[in-house]
Amino acid sequence: MLSDHQIIGRRLLLSVAGLTLLSATTACGTDQAEQLAPAPSPAQPQPKAVNVPSPALASPPKPATPPQSTPPPSTAPRPHNAAPLFSLAAADKLVALTVDDGPDPVHTPAVLSILQQYGVRATFFLIGENAAEHPGLVREIARQGHHLANHTWSHPDLRHLPEAKVRDELERTSDLLREATGKPMTWFRAPGGDWSDVSLRVCNELGMRPMGWSVDPRDWARPGTSRITSRVLDAIRPGSIVLNHDGGGDRSQTVAALRTYLPVLIDEGYRFTAPA
Ligand SMILES: [Zn+2]
């Protein structure tokens, strides 16, 4: 499985099977970790205990999985870091709301107010230079329980930058947001969803996972509140990751659309999550 995911990630292909596995890994990571953790062994007296390793250091029993032809290297990146996550496991009506390009002094508070009204947690992909300009808004987003994530420092097209510059864009933003919140960044989104091998690798090396989206109402183009609303409501399905924008221009249409479609989705039984 590790090799398959890595190959998928390098080629930037996302098969249906890969997507399901990626999503399942993310959603169930904690549970799997608990299940796979070795049970603590009581200290047993070791007869003739010469150079016998401690029971705590012994390898846990391997789960019954097909053997790999090559042993996985210990430094291999986690498989769910390889390719962007485009949707969640669609087990029920769980979806993820994402809000990009802020914080913005006008539209971010408006979005926060709506999310608070409906008790919805979202993931905010912040631009570093906006976060540096509005540190109070960064803290407020975190204080209200939303998940902060990395959307580069200056929102460039990463496909046309040398690796050192890509690394600077991501690292600088992660550092700032970690200092503001006390938490490491776990998710990264490339501006425009324009991924590259380099940005995916740097994202992985900085300890983040790449997140895309599956529902894009193109709100940034300001097509009108009703268009944004209908695009979301028509396209959404269990597991969707919905793209919204609270920065980069006048986002009043996005704010109005959120106010319209959120109660509809809630009435339809949708629940919202911000992947950890
Ligand atoms: Zn963006």
Side-chain angles (χ1 to χ4, degrees):
M1 283 175 57
L2 281 173
S3 298
D4 288 347
H5 280 302
Q6 287 164 347
I7 291 168
I8 290 169
R10 290 193 189 101
R11 293 178 180 174
L12 280 181
L13 293 174
L14 192 67
S15 69
V16 172
L19 176 59
T20 303
L21 287 170
L22 282 168
S23 304
T25 303
T26 301
C28 307
T30 304
D31 291 339
Q32 286 178 344
E34 288 171 355
Q35 289 164 5
L36 293 175
S41 305
Q44 297 284 344
Q46 297 285 344
K48 300 179 181 175
V50 177
N51 293 331
V52 174
S54 160
L57 297 177
S59 298
K62 292 282 189 295
T65 52
Q68 301 277 340
S69 57
T70 55
S74 60
T75 57
R78 289 174 294 172
H80 51 229
N81 282 352
L85 179 72
F86 291 104
S87 60
L88 311 173
D92 55 17
K93 284 190 157 181
L94 193 65
V95 295
L97 216 59
T98 61
V99 187
D100 287 18
D101 295 357
D104 175 275
V106 173
H107 301 108
T108 302
V111 169
L112 286 173
S113 173
I114 296 166
L115 297 178
Q116 191 171 43
Q117 178 181 351
Y118 291 104
V120 168
R121 283 187 67 221
T123 301
F124 285 76
F125 283 91
L126 302 183
I127 295 174
E129 60 187 11
N130 291 348
E133 197 173 340
H134 305 290
L137 280 175
V138 175
R139 288 191 295 271
E140 183 60 18
I141 295 167
R143 192 191 68 77
Q144 294 196 19
H146 303 291
H147 203 76
L148 272 61
N150 186 326
H151 196 39
T152 72
W153 185 262
S154 63
H155 209 264
D157 186 338
L158 295 175
R159 296 171 299 179
H160 305 307
L161 294 181
E163 177 166 346
K165 180 63 177 167
V166 170
R167 186 177 302 276
D168 182 60
E169 284 278 338
L170 273 62
E171 197 162 30
R172 219 174 145 191
T173 305
S174 280
D175 288 349
L176 178 80
L177 296 178
R178 187 180 59 246
E179 287 169 13
T181 63
K183 296 177 182 174
M185 292 299 102
T186 56
W187 292 104
F188 167 69
R189 175 175 285 167
D194 294 322
W195 304 98
S196 67
D197 286 345
V198 169
S199 67
L200 287 171
R201 187 174 71 249
V202 172
C203 164
N204 177 38
E205 289 170 359
L206 294 177
M208 296 182 286
R209 288 164 283 174
M211 188 190 294
W213 59 80
S214 55
V215 175
D216 177 10
R218 299 177 65 79
D219 61 317
W220 57 270
R222 297 197 283 272
T225 299
S226 62
R227 292 287 291 277
I228 298 171
T229 301
S230 62
R231 285 170 177 172
V232 171
L233 294 177
D234 290 347
I236 204 159
R237 57 177 176 74
S240 287
I241 297 177
V242 184
L243 175 64
N244 305 270
H245 294 82
D246 64 342
D250 181 354
R251 301 300 172 218
S252 53
Q253 291 183 9
T254 303
V255 171
L258 269 170
R259 192 176 283 119
T260 307
Y261 75 66
L262 271 184
V264 174
L265 292 177
I266 291 168
D267 281 350
E268 290 179 355
Y270 279 98
R271 296 180 299 114
F272 298 85
T273 187

